[in-house]
Every structure is written in structure tokens, then in C-alpha cells.
Amino acid sequence: MKWWKFNEGAGDITKESAAGDSCAIAGHMSYWKQGVSGTALAFDGYHSVVRLPAEKAPAISDAVTLEAWVALGAYPWNWTPVVQQGHEESYALSIGPHGSVAMSVKAGGQLVKAESKPRLATKRWYHVAGSRITA
């Protein structure tokens, strides 16, 4: 399990809460805003990113749940990952150019993707989540 609170409120480092790993915030600048509870890290949709080395990312086998609190300032130009491991190699929770949410997981050598019909409005907080469970 990996979990970021983004509650530092300042600086260019954020701490992963489960293992305590410090992760650099890359991009033009770190921009902190008011969140659902405490502070939130604002991503610019182009350059902002928090990276965790691949060897520290959770490996999935049978089940995975990805979730986040998000508030869109504007719709992205293309599919934008909220959480992503690899590029269509493992798993992702993304937001599309019209505000839909999708989860993709590579399972058994095949990419499986589910997309929401409801669209997220801008400037409003949402809890988004996706799960893959196998029997």
C-alpha cells in the first residue's frame, strides 16, 4: 500500500505515509492550496509530478484499488494520470478531456479499461476510485 496525504503545505518534497519515503515534487514549482482536509498539492496538468522509484511501487497480483481526492481547475487536453505505474504496463487511474474517470489494469498480458459515464465538474472536490478484483 502507498499513500500520500499532500499535507506538507509548503516545499518541494512530499512524504509517502505508509513507508515514509520522501518524494520530490517535480515541475516548474510546487503550488499548495486548501484541500478537503488540510492542504493539497496542485498539479499543473503538464509538468507537475510526484515520482516514486518503480522498485518501491506496489506490485499487483489479484486485486488493486486506486483512489484519490481530486478537484479539476480545468479539463485536461488528453487522458491525464492521477496514479500511474508504467505506461499501460501495470495500472492507472486517469481523468479524461471531458471529465470522465478511467481505470486501466494490465492483467494476464491484456490491458483492461473501465471508464465512468458521469463526468466531473470543475472546481469541486471528488473522491475517485477504481478497483480490480479477481475471483
Side-chain angles (χ1 to χ4, degrees):
M1 175 178 84
K2 295 293 180 184
W3 174 37
W4 284 263
K5 293 181 184 180
F6 297 124
N7 65 353
E8 289 84 357
D12 295 324
I13 301 287
T14 187
K15 189 168 283 236
E16 189 279 318
S17 298
D21 293 316
S22 290
C23 301
I25 302 165
H28 296 301
M29 66 179 280
S30 300
Y31 184 54
W32 298 91
K33 299 178 89 171
Q34 181 64 36
V36 172
S37 173
T39 60
L41 182 58
F43 292 87
D44 66 9
Y46 298 101
H47 303 97
S48 301
V49 65
V50 173
R51 284 197 174 97
L52 182 72
E55 64 272 6
K56 292 187 176 189
I60 60 165
S61 54
D62 294 335
V64 63
T65 297
L66 305 174
E67 60 184 312
W69 279 96
V70 299
L72 304 175
Y75 294 116
W77 288 99
N78 205 340
W79 284 97
T80 301
V82 175
V83 177
Q84 179 178 334
Q85 171 58 30
H87 180 69
E88 294 189 350
E89 295 147 9
S90 195
Y91 49 84
L93 182 66
S94 306
I95 298 174
H98 301 289
S100 58
V101 179
M103 181 172 171
S104 58
V105 177
K106 191 147 192 183
Q110 188 174 22
L111 184 67
V112 178
K113 185 175 179 179
E115 182 179 338
S116 69
K117 287 191 184 254
R119 312 285 170 118
L120 305 181
T122 59
K123 301 180 183 4
R124 181 174 171 208
W125 283 102
Y126 291 93
H127 180 252
V128 295
S131 291
R132 175 186 177 264
I133 302 170
T134 59

